[in-house]
Amino acid sequence: MNIATSKELFDRAKDYIPGGVNSPVRAFKAVGGDPIFFAKAEGAYMYDEDGNSYIDLINSWGPMILGHANKQIEEAIFKAVIGSPSFGAPSRMEVELAELIAEMVPSIEKVRMVNSGTEATMSAIRLARGFTKRDKVLKFEGCYHGHGDSFLIAAGSGAMTMGEPDSPGVTKGTAQDTLLAPFNNIEKVREVVSSNKGKIAAIIVEPVAGNMGCVLPEPGFLDDLRSVCDEDGILLIFDEVMTGFRLAKGGAQDIFNVKPDLTTLGKIIGAGMPVGAYGGRTDVMDFVSPQGPVYQAGTLSGNPVAMAAGYAQLSYLNEHPEVYTNLEKTTQKIVSGYEKVLKKHNLNCTMNQIGSMFSLFFTDIKVVDFDTAKSCDTERFGKYFRHMLNMGVYLAPSQFETLFVSNCIGDDEIKQIVSSFDDFLKS
């Protein structure tokens, strides 16, 4: 496969952009080789600067649930741009999108628009601290909530250990206010809460983890988190930046029937445009300025182009629930195909899947948390990634990222994906 133009662009980018990319995982450091630079995309495919085509299993890390260049969304964007790409003032579309989000997600009574998932989670944590008048936050090892200081904390030796900064620039003071527990381990959560009784403002969790690969909650785990929070006056925050509107109209909380106090959103609510949001109970959300004392602002929050794109996509999903049934069937076909190929080659790897999210883990251990995810053979994953890339299948360039299926992937694409995996194992 000729990728000469991508190589040239990457060399140029390294002179002016740190590492040559604007988000670290795009640099391909975890898988080897140089990143691919893309020129356009349509439906299930992306096309690079050298004219190569790829079946897309990332879909802009989730937002392109209806595939690339969806006509309904494009028309909404074009119409909004003609009206002006930014007002810096209120507009009709942000009201209509807020109403639609509240209709689709039962736990959200009020919502504030922001510009990214990171901004949404940072704002939700600040709000939780302001509302509860407490400082500490509990997060889970392997769950990623953006690059806010409170979240860049490495796992300690156990759930009782205070966090240590995972990046230069994160202060030890911030790290000491962030408590850690293993995902899917409710007993450790109870230990941490008991040791910090009356001090924890919020427990934040990805209801389905997506940044250690796709890791599902064990039965009862989310219900138990709800109970722990209720017992100690802690706000439960579901980070549904990935899962919101992807797994169901009401997100993961709809599937697992657990109601958080706050929910953070992103990705799908912008249909590919930069956007985020956080919302929840009225009494909590009314603590946000200008209604309340917790300050949060943004010049481009509620941007009319992003709101128009998001409203077009959410409206379609709301009116066509069969999309989720189709997506699950498509994803199950891919996963079933992989499992048959693994069995054919006498290999035992772990496959995790829910709805249109799935991960192949190069380990024979059941992956339920960050420690079990880290048992994977990352060198083999790198070889797998490069093989699939050369076969025209674009995967996330990391063992610890989830794949996202779009509604444009059909039987022909499934056959190519599965046969490419078969070819990899033969080699």
Side-chain angles (χ1 to χ4, degrees):
M1 183 178 286
N2 175 27
I3 56 169
T5 307
S6 283
K7 288 181 177 294
E8 177 195 347
L9 286 168
F10 188 46
D11 287 339
R12 288 168 56 190
K14 285 185 286 187
D15 289 337
Y16 297 98
I17 301 171
V21 292
N22 284 305
S23 190
V25 73
R26 299 177 191 173
F28 282 23
K29 282 196 170 184
V31 292
D34 293 329
I36 304 298
F37 282 66
F38 288 95
K40 63 179 182 178
E42 184 174 0
Y45 291 86
M46 295 201 297
Y47 303 87
D48 69 17
E49 287 282 353
D50 292 284
N52 303 304
S53 66
Y54 307 82
I55 298 171
D56 185 11
L57 286 177
I58 303 178
N59 285 288
S60 193
W61 305 93
M64 317 312 285
I65 190 169
L66 301 177
H68 293 280
N70 177 275
K71 298 304 179 187
Q72 182 176 328
I73 294 169
E74 284 188 340
E75 288 172 7
I77 290 172
F78 294 155
K79 183 178 178 181
V81 168
I82 291 170
S84 180
S86 181
F87 301 127
S91 67
R92 173 185 293 271
M93 194 53 70
E94 60 191 290
V95 179
E96 295 186 350
L97 182 57
E99 289 173 339
L100 183 55
I101 289 171
E103 176 189 337
M104 294 175 73
V105 186
S107 71
I108 295 180
E109 296 171 345
K110 288 190 176 182
V111 61
R112 170 61 65 86
M113 303 298 178
V114 291
N115 296 293
S116 69
T118 291
E119 192 177 339
T121 54
M122 289 166 58
S123 302
I125 288 296
R126 183 187 304 152
L127 173 57
R129 285 173 166 150
F131 182 80
T132 62
K133 297 179 174 59
R134 300 175 178 182
D135 293 336
K136 296 185 183 296
V137 173
L138 190 153
K139 72 175 288 286
F140 293 90
E141 299 165 8
C143 283
Y144 178 72
H145 306 290
H147 58 265
D149 286 1
S150 297
F151 308 125
L152 292 180
I153 309 299
S157 59
M160 304 296 290
T161 305
M162 290 292 187
E164 287 294 326
D166 199 27
S167 170
V170 177
T171 67
K172 288 187 176 181
T174 298
Q176 288 172 355
D177 282 335
T178 302
L179 305 167
L180 295 162
F183 190 70
N184 273 326
N185 191 327
I186 195 63
E187 292 309 315
K188 288 296 183 183
V189 172
R190 289 195 173 104
E191 287 180 26
V192 173
V193 171
S194 177
S195 298
N196 294 272
K197 198 163 183 61
K199 297 179 181 178
I200 300 175
I203 294 178
I204 185 169
V205 64
E206 292 178 277
V208 174
N211 286 281
M212 47 182 153
C214 180
V215 180
L216 280 62
E218 293 286 278
F221 176 65
L222 298 177
D223 297 276
D224 288 340
L225 284 182
R226 178 69 275 173
S227 298
V228 167
C229 288
D230 290 341
E231 290 164 8
D232 197 46
I234 299 167
L235 295 186
L236 178 60
I237 304 174
F238 274 8
D239 180 350
E240 295 226 44
V241 170
M242 281 190 179
T243 56
F245 309 108
R246 171 158 280 281
L247 298 183
K249 285 169 57 173
Q253 58 195 265
D254 189 18
I255 291 176
F256 295 103
N257 196 29
V258 177
K259 202 171 183 179
D261 300 298
L262 290 172
T263 300
T264 62
L265 299 167
K267 300 188 185 296
I268 281 179
I269 67 166
M273 301 297 293
V275 72
Y278 63 103
R281 287 167 27 197
T282 295
D283 61 326
V284 179
M285 291 303 296
D286 278 349
F287 245 66
V288 179
S289 179
Q291 184 77 17
V294 176
Y295 193 76
Q296 179 268 311
T299 299
L300 295 178
S301 296
N303 173 268
V305 179
M307 297 297 97
Y311 186 81
Q313 178 148 278
L314 289 196
S315 295
Y316 187 89
L317 293 171
N318 192 39
E319 294 163 7
H320 296 84
E322 69 275 8
V323 167
Y324 295 105
T325 304
N326 295 337
L327 281 167
E328 180 147 22
K329 287 180 180 177
T330 297
T331 309
Q332 286 176 343
K333 285 181 180 179
I334 298 172
V335 171
S336 176
Y338 267 47
E339 289 173 340
K340 288 177 182 176
V341 169
L342 287 166
K343 186 175 181 180
K344 170 184 169 183
H345 293 280
N346 296 315
L347 288 172
N348 188 13
C349 292
T350 294
M351 297 288 300
N352 283 358
Q353 180 247 330
I354 181 170
S356 58
M357 298 169 60
F358 79 99
S359 289
L360 163 67
F361 296 93
F362 283 98
T363 179
D364 58 3
I365 297 172
K366 181 182 178 182
V367 178
V368 297
D369 57 19
F370 195 39
D371 281 345
T372 48
K374 289 189 292 186
S375 69
C376 292
D377 185 341
T378 54
E379 183 178 348
R380 175 173 281 192
F381 178 87
K383 293 176 181 177
Y384 160 65
F385 172 86
R386 294 191 296 273
H387 174 87
M388 296 296 279
L389 190 71
N390 287 330
M391 298 295 288
V393 180
Y394 194 68
L395 306 174
S398 168
Q399 169 70 89
F400 306 111
E401 296 284 357
T402 298
L403 297 181
F404 299 95
V405 175
S406 83
N407 205 39
C408 289
I409 289 181
D411 287 341
D412 288 344
E413 286 78 26
I414 293 169
K415 287 177 184 177
Q416 183 176 336
I417 293 165
V418 174
S419 66
S420 296
F421 181 53
D422 189 18
D423 288 341
F424 166 70
L425 294 185
K426 285 177 183 175
S427 66

